[in-house]
Amino acid sequence: MSEQVSSWVQRFAPLVPGGEVLDLACGTGRHARHMVTLGHSVVAVDQNADSLAAAAGDGIVTSQIDLEADGAVWPFGPDRFAGILVTNYLHRPLIADMLGSLAPNGVLIYETFADGNAEFGKPSNPAFLLAPGELLEWAARHELRVIAFEDGRVESPKPALVQRICAVKPEFPRVAALLPSD
């Protein structure tokens, strides 16, 4: 796995308002560490203890949780996180509760594999691949305002088909969504 911060996360992380950030399925913590450098405290969640050991550090609270286990429930309350980051992970039963944990002015930064990725290797199971427009459907269903969306092929860190979204809760000020000028 690449330790380089995703360009999508790097681009939109500065929009996250002050407060705690959730890095869901954090792996070894590349995005958690990035958010700490931006002044956030981070809750880094993963099911893998070795990954969490690598993710641990100043400003990062790690939590080993298997959210896909039978009977698993979402462990966080509503309106808690200023930002939620998810990369290379998809477990649809979590989505409504996860988005409910986003603060009223919070920012969702989500990036994972999309339908058709089997052409490039794993993941190839449709359960782990976003359907066309699925992230946009989540945003509409949960009344998020879309700042940016992409759906297509990437070459780095390996060739893949991905979908990406940066979306905000209704109280996020429109003027705070600073977009690139070029």
Side-chain angles (χ1 to χ4, degrees):
M1 251 325 158
S2 170
E3 277 300 304
Q4 184 176 349
V5 174
S6 154
S7 61
W8 191 254
V9 171
Q10 197 163 32
R11 177 179 172 193
F12 293 104
L15 298 184
V16 177
E20 192 173 40
V21 171
L22 173 64
D23 185 357
L24 183 60
C26 68
T28 57
R30 62 190 170 132
H31 296 125
R33 285 188 292 280
H34 181 66
M35 295 308 293
V36 167
T37 67
L38 297 176
H40 297 279
S41 60
V42 177
V43 175
V45 172
D46 205 284
Q47 67 178 356
N48 184 298
D50 293 335
S51 293
L52 287 173
D58 289 343
I60 301 172
V61 173
T62 60
S63 186
Q64 184 179 4
I65 305 171
D66 183 354
L67 292 167
E68 297 177 36
D70 286 341
V73 295
W74 183 250
F76 304 108
D79 303 331
R80 174 169 175 180
F81 297 106
I84 296 178
L85 307 177
V86 185
T87 61
N88 302 332
Y89 180 71
L90 177 62
H91 185 58
R92 290 177 179 92
L94 301 176
I95 302 310
D97 289 333
M98 177 192 70
L99 294 176
S101 290
L102 198 57
N105 66 338
V107 176
L108 172 69
I109 302 170
Y110 204 112
E111 170 183 41
T112 198
F113 301 98
D115 184 48
N117 191 67
E119 176 182 338
F120 301 98
K122 294 197 180 281
S124 57
N125 181 335
F128 305 119
L129 302 174
L130 291 163
E134 187 171 351
L135 290 177
L136 292 172
E137 290 172 15
W138 294 359
R141 188 176 321 121
H142 297 281
E143 300 178 351
L144 301 177
R145 190 171 77 246
V146 175
I147 302 297
F149 172 78
E150 292 183 346
D151 183 357
R153 179 180 170 158
V154 296
E155 292 299 318
S156 177
K158 66 175 188 162
L161 286 179
V162 301
Q163 268 185 61
R164 307 167 169 172
I165 198 166
C166 176
V168 297
K169 282 282 199 90
E171 291 183 26
F172 186 88
R174 289 184 66 84
V175 296
L178 185 60
L179 305 174
S181 297
D182 9 74

